[in-house]
Amino acid sequence: MAILYPGLHNDAVKKRHLRYAQALVDDGFTFDLLVDDGRDEVSALIREVTSAPEAGPAPEAGPAAEVGPAAEVGPAPETGPASTAAGASAFELRAHDSGLVVRDGTGALVAAVVITAVSYDNGTALFIRALATAPAFRSRGIGTVLLGMVPQVLGQAGLPTRALITGVTPQARASFVHRAGFVVLEPGDEPPFTFGGVEAELLDGSIVAPNDRCWFFKDVA
C-alpha cells in the first residue's frame, strides 16, 4: 500500500470542521439529509459541476478550498474535465444512495455529498460517490464540513455511526481530501480492504476517471 498522504490528527481536523461549520451556519447555510424530493436536483448539480471547466475540489483557501472526492466532486472531489469520468455528465443517483445537502439562506441548493453504504470485512463502509459544491460557493469550507458530517447519515437511520468512510479522488484533488483527515493512496494503488465483490459496481458509479483514481479512507467512531 503506497500512501500519497497520511492521515491527520483527528483533533485538528475536528476543530477545523467545527470552525467552518459555525461560520456557515452564522451565514444562513443549512445542512440536511438528502430526501426523495431533492434527488433530481442533486443529480443536476453534480452533472453541472463535473462538466464545468474547473470542477473539482479547489485548494482550500480561507475556510477551505474545496471540492472533494469527486467534484469538490468527488469524493470525490470537484474534478476538472481532465480527470472526470466519461459518465459524469450522465450522473444519476441510484436507488440505494443517500447523502447530505447544503442550502443557502434563500433555500437554493449549493452543495451535496452522495453516499452508498456497503458491508465489508469489519462492518459498514460509506463510499462517497460524489461531493459537489457550486462554483460560486467554493473556498468556504462547505465540502470539508460535508465530509465531516457523513457519519450522520448512519445516525439518522438509527445505526451505529462507527464506519469506514472511503472513496476515490483525482490526484489533483488529493490534498483537499487529506486536509479533511483522510489517508490518500497513490494513483492506481489498491486499498487494504474489500467490499465483498461489489468494488467494480462502486467504481463504475464514480465520476472520477479510471486512470486518475486515488483511494482515500478513514475510520470514524
Side-chain angles (χ1 to χ4, degrees), residues 46-57 67 70-73 77-89 138 170 172-173 207-212:
I46 293 169
R47 289 194 297 268
E48 178 183 0
V49 169
T50 53
S51 62
E54 260 302 34
V67 151
E72 203 179 331
V73 170
E78 291 178 285
T79 60
S83 56
T84 300
S89 60
R138 293 178 190 161
R173 309 304 178 186
I207 62 176
V208 182
N211 62 352
D212 191 26

Side-chain angles (χ1 to χ4, degrees), residues 156-221:
Q156 291 294 326
L159 300 171
T161 55
R162 181 177 181 82
L164 171 75
I165 302 176
T166 186
V168 291
T169 184
Q171 185 172 3
R173 309 304 178 186
S175 62
F176 162 77
V177 182
H178 164 63
R179 290 192 297 271
F182 290 84
V183 174
V184 185
L185 301 185
E186 293 279 359
D189 203 30
E190 295 299 320
F193 45 79
T194 60
F195 299 120
V198 300
E199 289 85 353
E201 179 183 351
L202 291 174
L203 292 174
D204 181 58
S206 169
I207 62 176
V208 182
N211 62 352
D212 191 26
R213 287 173 179 160
C214 294
W215 278 90
F216 62 89
F217 58 90
K218 72 174 177 179
D219 286 302
V220 296

Side-chain angles (χ1 to χ4, degrees), residues 55-123:
E60 292 189 62
E66 2 157 13
V67 151
E72 203 179 331
V73 170
E78 291 178 285
T79 60
S83 56
T84 300
S89 60
F91 181 89
E92 293 288 350
L93 271 77
R94 295 170 173 174
H96 51 273
D97 285 340
S98 56
L100 298 160
V101 299
V102 184
R103 296 184 183 277
D104 67 9
T106 70
L109 178 70
V110 301
V113 60
V114 176
I115 306 155
T116 298
V118 295
S119 296
Y120 81 117
D121 296 343
N122 296 328

